[in-house]
Every structure is written in structure tokens, then in C-alpha cells.
Amino acid sequence: MKIPKTLFFKTQFDADKQGHFGEFGGRYVPEMLIPALDELNAAYEEAKHDSVFIQQVLDLYKHYIGRPSALYFAERLTAKLGGAKIYLKNEGLNHTGAHKINHCVGQALLAQRMNKKRLIAETGAGQHGVATATVAAKFGFACTVHMGEVDMERQAPNVQLMKQLGAEVIPVKEGNRTLKDAVTSAIQDWMGDPEDAYYLLGSALGPHPYPTMVRDFQSIIGMEIAEQLQEREGVGVLPNYLVACVGGGSNAIGMFNAFLDVPEVQLIGVEAGGTDIYTPGQHATRLASTPQLGVVEGYKSYFLQDEHGNVEATHSISAGLDYAGIGPQHAYLHSVGRVRYESASDNEALNAVKTTSHLEGIIPALESAHAIAYVMRLAPTLVPDEIVVVNVSGRGDKDQHILKQYL
Amino acid sequence: MSRTIAEQLALVKQEQRLGFMTHVVIGHPSLEETRQRVEIMAAAGVDIIELQIPFSDPLADGPAIAQANHQAVANGVIIEDCFVLAKELSNTVDIPLQFIGYYNTVLNYGIEKFMADCVAAGIAGLTFPDMPIDEEQYEQFYYHAQQAGLPVVQLVSPATAPERLQLIAEHATDLVYCVARFGVTGATDELNTQLGEYLDRVRQYVTLPLAVGFGISTPQHIQALHGKADMAVIGSALLNVPINKLANTLQPLCAALSVPPTNTIQ
Ligand SMILES: Cc1ncc(COP(=O)(O)O)c(C=O)c1O
């Protein structure tokens, strides 16, 4: 077993030089963005080999975010499910309440190195927007967050937080008015101001180098799990299963990356099943039946789309998973069978929030609750000496007024 | 049968004027009106018309064109409709018609079938902004276009580096489209003040005729291109001009294509 001990490690599932993971990924963008992406890629390649930069990232992880985040043994949940031992990796304890801050500090440091003046971000659940507004304040950048109108409504507390942190929040009125439309709007904002603006993408998707870079800044999650689990369970002990929710894929790839080359560890991504995974528009399960290859928003991956290649509407109770595409490395990991993808419905996620709150005193974000919901199905089928680690990618404070309607 | 892009450009050159490219989104507001708009444009003296295949997520398009795309998609306009319309129009107008669109449409349709059907429909060229030359080794888009005899009009931007201009020049055919400013499609009042410098830079690498678009909307903008570019492109500014005003709107724009006596090239 070889778990990486330093940031920016390589695995056999990495992209090629042009950002292709097998047939997925790449950089399918208009010429107007190529110079900006070239500049970003060069800056990133240089930074990740610079020990000063690496130390800056690690210092912020520790002193600003409060890492390592706890790996918590969920004793009562384990007892109730009556199978495998369940650990929660609690990214909800991070500053700003989710894993998103991990890639935000990394990218903000990079933007500073590149002498940028303004951070642009898209956001779905608002967690990435809040985390971006936070690092913008800390580093003294101006900040513009693009957010679909539907999401502004359902994640209103985060809109307020972003404004309080000094960010401008732009309501996106195009299309479905959710995450995908916010991504397009943010990319277009960047296209108009490539010199001064840094586009701080919030998931492991988009054109190269974002899927790789966001993953690298998130990989600390898995690295910590490897170490923390050995402290709790003994030297050399590996988890049997790692489970994470998958919107664009940042928290999941951050959890999985350090274990990709350890085949004994089974990796499971959980997509949003919405209300009905067989009806277009009612879910965001891209890998469920027959995944459809596409090129949208600058990258090649699987997208929910109709037979003419137009992207379909999606639905999830969680804004952060309500997205028609999936990060290209996930598409690749799916195609080669290294990661298994499952889904959990809106109702299962709500039930998981309730169960985890009542049994453990931990209120997970609705996104993370999809991963827990799947574990509630999985754990009873396993034996007590098997270990399941589930990524609680964020805490549920932002979801209170949605939960109020259901619980 | 309509002319090729090369033939039309030769004609423009012979007439010692700027060329004029316009744009429609197929099916916005309806297929029938698109057909009429193209015919009006051709009759007014437009040299090339970009027929945009509507797509749900047009990354390079600003609000006006994006909304037109969404409307056409919502109207149920699909690629087959685009081929039918193109075939009809290429029989009724003399000027070249080219498809502009997003790569996902082609990927879904099948790249070879797409090229063959373009040829059958009399399409004169292709512009796919999200299919940069870097991805060619993975997609063979340019290869298949070339096999079908379809020129691919490439884009360059004010930030395109010299090495890249060189690369693009090597793959370009017939015409290079210079995006006038940073940002997405959309009409603006002011033309980029550094346009001359930028186009000079492009000309160091590109010997083909240069079209300039993004933000061009008035006869004054067109006049400012004399001596700098070979072709003006107007998209968004014409998109929502009512059809009964279209001919009148085009008239002063077309008039601006010839060198005005007061503004002869210095
Ligand atoms: C708490 C939380 N988890 C998960 C996600 C989904 O994103 P990703 O799949 O990139 O981790 C989000 C996105 O907003 C989120 O806020």
C-alpha cells in the first residue's frame, strides 16, 4: 500500500498533458479563453513545484481552514445500521462549513501569484460562493459570484453571507437558472476580463487545468483519512469503502485521489436521484443508465442531454448536486470501472439528514446526505469488521429553510 | 447553387470594398422567418451568412444570441431542420452560407455524417468556436471537414499569442475571424481602440482575408474597418431587428462597405 504523503502527487488515473483523462476532459473552449487557460496552466505547473507555495497552502489549510477535519466514528449510526463500522469525515467543520474552502485557498494563492485583482466564481449551493467570497476578503480581491436565481432562492442564507463578505452576487436568469447556467455566466464574465480576473471554478470540471487543479487542492481529504484511520484502527488499516456525493465531483475526487492506486479500497460516488431517475428533468444522475458523451462548458464528459445534444434540465433537492455534467475524471473512473456510481433520491437524502442529526448530533448538508443515504443501504449488507468512510462534505446550516418544509 | 467562400471573397476584392458577413439563429423566431431574413440579407448585398445551429449552452454567445438559441431549442428546432433550411436556401441565394454552432451538436450527430450532410445541403463553411485546433488529435474535426471540402473558419482574439497565430495560420482556410474585443457576442457602441494594432499583428502571421466581428453594429464601425480588415461581421445588432425593418437597417450598413470619398486610405 502506498498512500501519498505530499500534495500534488500522481496516480495512474491522471490526465495527459492536454488534460485528457482517457477520452474525457480537454479544453473545448473558444479561442478567447485559450490565452487565459494557458496562463493559468503555466502558473499552476510552476506553483505546484515551488516549496514556498506548497508551504503556504499547508499553512492556510491548518491555520485558516482548521485542518485536519475530524474523522469521527459514528457509533450510534453504526449500531443502528447493524453492519460495517461507519466513520464520518467531517468537512463541515472547516471554516465556511464545507470542503469548498480547500480549493479556494489554493486557487486564491495562485491568483495572488498571478497578480489578479478580481475573483469570479459560480455557485450552486452557495458553499463555493461563500468560500470564494471569504478568500477574496482575506486576500483583498474584488469578488463576483454568479448564481442561478432558483439557487439564490433556495440557498438564501448563503447569498446573505456572500454579500456580508463583500462579494457582488449576480443573479443568473438564463436557462434553468441553476448551477450550469451560473458556470456559463461566470466563464463569460472571465472571457470579458481575462487580464485582471481569475476564474475560481468550484468543482473538478470545466476546461483543463481545472479538473486536475481542483482535485489536487482537494486531495488533502483522502490523505488525512488514510492517516487518521490508522491512528484509530491501527497501522496499515485501510478503509473498505469510501463514499462521497458527486455533483461536479470535487469532494469525491478529493476523497478518492489518494486511494486510486490502492485497489483494495472500494470507491463509491453517489449522484442525486431526485424524484425519479428514469424521467428527464427529475434527477441529476448522469451515470445511471446509458451515460451520454458530450462537450459542454469547455470539457468532454457525460452530460444529461437529449438525442440532439441539447442539455436537459436537472432536479435535485440539493442545489450543489443539481448539475447536468460530471467532472471528466469521474467519467473516466466510471468508464474504467475504478469507481462505482450509485444514486440516492431526494427522500433518502432527507431521511439521512434526519437520521444523522438525531443519532450523531451532526447535521449534514443535503448534498452530503446523499452519500450517507447510500451508506444506510450499504452498511447493513457488510460485516462489522469492514470500515466505511463517508465524506460529510458540508454542514447543513444553509439548508434549514428547505428542511423546515420536510422534517 | 451558391458560391464558395473563396469565390465570394474574390468578388469582394474585385469590387474593392469590404465584405459583409451577417448571422441568423436558425428557428429564431421561426424557421420560416429565418428563411425570409436570409433572403432579405442576400438581396441587400450581404456576402456571407452564418446560420447558427441552435444549442442549449452557447458558451461564446452573449445574452441576445443565447436567448435566441434557447428560444429555437424550445421551439423544437433540431439539426435536421437546419439541413433542410440550408438546402433550400443554398438553392435560392447566390452567396455562401456557413454553419456556426457548438461541437456537441456534431458529436451527437456523428462527425462524418454531419460533414456529408453539410455538403449535400450546400453549406460553404463551418465555424465551431468550441472546437479549437488543440483538440484535433482527439476529434479529427478539421480532418473530416477537409475531406468533405468544407473550409473551417478559425477564430483569433486580441490575446492570441504569436506562436498560436502561427499555428492557426497553418490550419486556416479561406478566412480568419478576428474577434474584435474581449468577451462574448453582443452589440456595443464603441469599437476596440486598439483594433488596428491587433489586426496588424494578426497579418504578420495570417495571409488570408480577415473578418472582424463582436461588437460591430453601425455604419461608422464598418467605415472604421476600411484599410484594416477585409470583412465586417454583424450578428447581435441585427438579431432582433423586426423583419419589416431589416432591409432598411441593412441599407446604410451595406453602403458603408465601399470606401467613402472622405475617408480614402491614408
Ligand atoms: C456541501 C457540498 N457538498 C457537495 C457539493 C457538490 O460539489 P462537488 O461534487 O464538486 O463536491 C457541494 C456543491 O455546492 C456542496 O456545497
Side-chain angles (χ1 to χ4, degrees):
Chain A
M1 158 189 137
K2 250 191 91 222
I3 302 288
K5 294 244 169 354
T6 51
L7 286 178
F8 310 119
F9 54 87
K10 290 185 165 60
T11 77
Q12 60 178 303
F13 301 98
D14 281 349
D16 68 12
K17 268 217 147 52
Q18 297 197 60
H20 286 258
F21 301 88
E23 67 175 316
F24 310 98
R27 207 170 64 159
Y28 297 79
V29 296
E31 195 56 38
M32 297 75 95
L33 279 179
I34 298 273
L37 288 168
D38 278 342
E39 183 195 359
L40 174 63
N41 193 43
Y44 178 58
E45 285 300 317
E46 191 224 0
K48 77 181 191 192
H49 293 109
D50 178 352
S51 58
V52 176
F53 179 78
I54 296 172
Q55 197 51 51
Q56 285 175 322
V57 174
L58 292 173
D59 284 349
L60 286 171
Y61 279 173
K62 182 171 177 193
H63 301 294
Y64 193 63
I65 301 180
R67 304 203 68 88
S69 65
L71 182 72
Y72 166 74
F73 173 48
E75 199 174 350
R76 297 188 68 209
L77 185 62
T78 298
K80 178 176 159 88
L81 297 175
K85 234 173 151 173
I86 299 165
Y87 280 91
L88 306 180
K89 176 61 171 168
N90 197 347
E91 289 291 298
L93 293 174
N94 294 341
H95 181 39
T96 71
H99 71 289
K100 298 286 180 189
I101 192 80
N102 300 330
H103 58 231
C104 286
V105 298
Q107 291 193 72
L109 277 168
L110 193 61
Q112 192 181 44
R113 264 173 102 90
M114 295 169 74
N115 291 316
K116 300 293 177 182
K117 305 198 165 42
R118 179 169 70 105
L119 301 182
I120 299 169
E122 82 297 333
T123 196
Q127 290 303 116
H128 175 63
V130 168
T132 304
T134 297
V135 295
K138 183 197 152 25
F139 285 91
F141 293 111
C143 183
T144 313
V145 180
H146 297 253
M147 189 169 188
E149 272 187 337
V150 170
D151 292 337
M152 285 182 74
E153 166 97 35
R154 60 178 160 173
Q155 307 278 234
N158 275 341
V159 175
Q160 177 54 30
L161 284 175
M162 287 183 264
K163 289 182 177 162
Q164 203 164 312
L165 287 158
E168 183 191 5
V169 182
I170 308 235
V172 178
K173 302 171 200 280
E174 291 292 312
N176 217 20
R177 295 173 295 140
T178 56
L179 184 55
K180 172 180 70 85
D181 314 292
V183 172
T184 298
S185 180
I187 292 177
Q188 295 193 343
D189 184 355
W190 189 33
M191 237 187 259
D193 185 21
E195 202 111 321
D196 287 336
Y198 180 97
Y199 177 28
L200 206 161
L201 220 167
S203 193
L205 51 82
H208 179 62
Y210 286 106
T212 291
M213 180 170 68
V214 169
R215 176 202 66 204
D216 288 349
F217 289 129
Q218 289 293 352
S219 294
I220 187 72
I221 300 174
M223 291 166 67
E224 286 177 2
I225 290 172
E227 213 177 289
Q228 290 168 317
L229 197 66
Q230 295 196 56
E231 278 167 25
R232 306 291 299 268
E233 296 283 340
V235 176
V237 173
L238 286 169
N240 298 86
Y241 293 88
L242 297 180
V243 183
C245 68
V246 188
S250 65
N251 87 89
I253 200 70
M255 184 191 215
F256 299 161
N257 199 31
F259 295 92
L260 286 179
D261 286 334
V262 190
E264 311 85 287
V265 181
Q266 300 201 47
L267 308 174
I268 299 169
V270 185
E271 300 184 276
T275 52
D276 174 8
I277 62 167
Y278 300 107
T279 306
Q282 298 303 310
H283 65 92
T285 309
R286 297 128 314 181
L287 304 177
S289 32
T290 321
Q292 296 296 311
L293 194 62
V295 169
V296 183
E297 295 188 327
Y299 65 105
K300 192 171 192 178
S301 188
Y302 292 126
F303 292 86
L304 290 168
Q305 50 186 319
D306 65 18
E307 72 266 36
H308 309 292
N310 289 307
V311 177
E312 280 172 343
T314 52
H315 161 80
S316 170
I317 192 163
S318 64
L321 305 185
D322 197 352
Y323 180 66
I326 184 166
Q329 193 169 7
H330 284 289
Y332 179 55
L333 292 168
H334 170 81
S335 74
V336 297
R338 177 63 188 98
V339 178
R340 203 169 87 218
Y341 294 84
E342 300 282 350
S343 76
S345 69
D346 285 356
N347 284 334
E348 286 178 296
L350 285 164
N351 183 43
V353 171
K354 195 166 157 184
T355 306
T356 315
S357 304
H358 289 182
L359 291 179
E360 300 293 351
I362 291 173
I363 306 174
L366 273 168
E367 289 77 11
S368 324
H370 287 73
I372 300 171
Y374 177 71
V375 169
M376 291 171 67
R377 271 189 264 148
L378 173 73
T381 69
L382 305 177
V383 297
D385 63 351
E386 288 184 288
I387 296 171
V388 175
V389 182
V390 50
N391 200 20
V392 179
S393 52
R395 60 177 178 239
D397 305 30
K398 69 183 175 59
D399 298 322
Q400 288 316 303
H401 76 302
I402 300 176
L403 295 172
K404 205 163 59 191
Q405 298 166 38
Y406 296 96
L407 300 181
Chain B
M1 198 55 198
S2 55
R3 287 185 280 275
T4 65
I5 292 176
E7 286 165 356
Q8 189 69 26
L9 287 167
L11 203 72
V12 169
K13 191 164 181 187
Q14 195 189 325
E15 291 173 4
Q16 296 186 320
R17 59 173 175 88
L18 277 172
F20 189 20
M21 191 192 303
T22 57
H23 168 269
V24 293
V25 175
I26 299 174
H28 166 79
S30 66
L31 285 167
E32 175 53 23
E33 184 167 326
T34 302
R35 190 179 62 73
Q36 291 172 18
R37 292 178 84 88
V38 169
E39 285 171 352
I40 292 168
M41 286 171 175
V46 169
D47 295 295
I48 302 177
I49 302 174
E50 296 178 315
L51 311 178
Q52 182 158 4
I53 303 169
F55 178 52
S56 58
D57 293 79
L59 191 59
D61 287 306
I65 296 181
Q67 264 161 31
N69 272 266
H70 292 147
Q71 196 212 333
V73 169
N75 287 350
V77 175
I78 58 174
I79 178 114
E80 283 81 1
D81 299 319
C82 300
F83 285 125
V84 169
L85 185 72
K87 189 169 172 97
E88 200 185 316
L89 283 168
S90 63
N91 283 319
T92 58
V93 303
D94 298 332
I95 58 168
L97 303 173
Q98 68 169 67
F99 271 152
I100 179 164
Y102 289 86
Y103 182 58
N104 201 42
T105 309
V106 181
L107 189 66
N108 258 270
Y109 193 73
I111 195 161
E112 283 171 70
K113 181 164 157 37
F114 176 81
M115 298 300 173
D117 289 356
C118 283
V119 171
I123 282 295
L126 304 174
T127 302
F128 280 78
D130 62 347
M131 188 49 236
I133 194 74
D134 316 61
E135 299 298 340
E136 175 62 3
Q137 66 180 106
Y138 304 93
E139 306 297 337
Q140 275 94 52
F141 176 84
Y142 293 81
Y143 170 78
H144 287 297
Q146 193 191 11
Q147 290 293 300
L150 287 164
V152 178
V153 176
Q154 303 221 46
L155 267 55
V156 301
S157 99
T160 306
E163 318 81 72
R164 220 176 144 77
L165 285 172
Q166 181 75 48
L167 177 77
I168 290 168
E170 282 162 20
H171 290 86
T173 39
D174 292 25
L175 183 68
V176 168
Y177 188 133
C178 304
V179 173
R181 56 162 165 77
F182 293 109
V184 291
T185 54
T188 39
D189 297 337
E190 293 283 315
L191 214 51
N192 177 357
T193 50
Q194 275 136 42
L195 195 61
E197 215 176 290
Y198 156 46
L199 295 177
D200 284 347
R201 191 152 27 88
V202 177
R203 285 220 197 268
Q204 287 174 22
Y205 301 90
V206 179
T207 50
L208 294 169
L210 303 183
V212 176
F214 278 46
I216 296 185
S217 59
T218 65
Q220 291 73 28
H221 292 162
I222 292 178
Q223 263 150 23
L225 295 179
H226 280 286
K228 298 193 180 89
D230 301 285
M231 179 166 261
V233 189
I234 300 191
S236 305
L238 293 172
L239 192 73
N240 292 314
V241 173
I243 192 153
N244 58 359
K245 301 227 167 77
L246 189 57
N248 281 343
T249 308
L250 285 164
Q251 198 271 328
L253 295 168
C254 290
L257 298 171
S258 301
V259 183
T262 51
N263 185 23
T264 41
I265 304 162
Q266 298 88 347

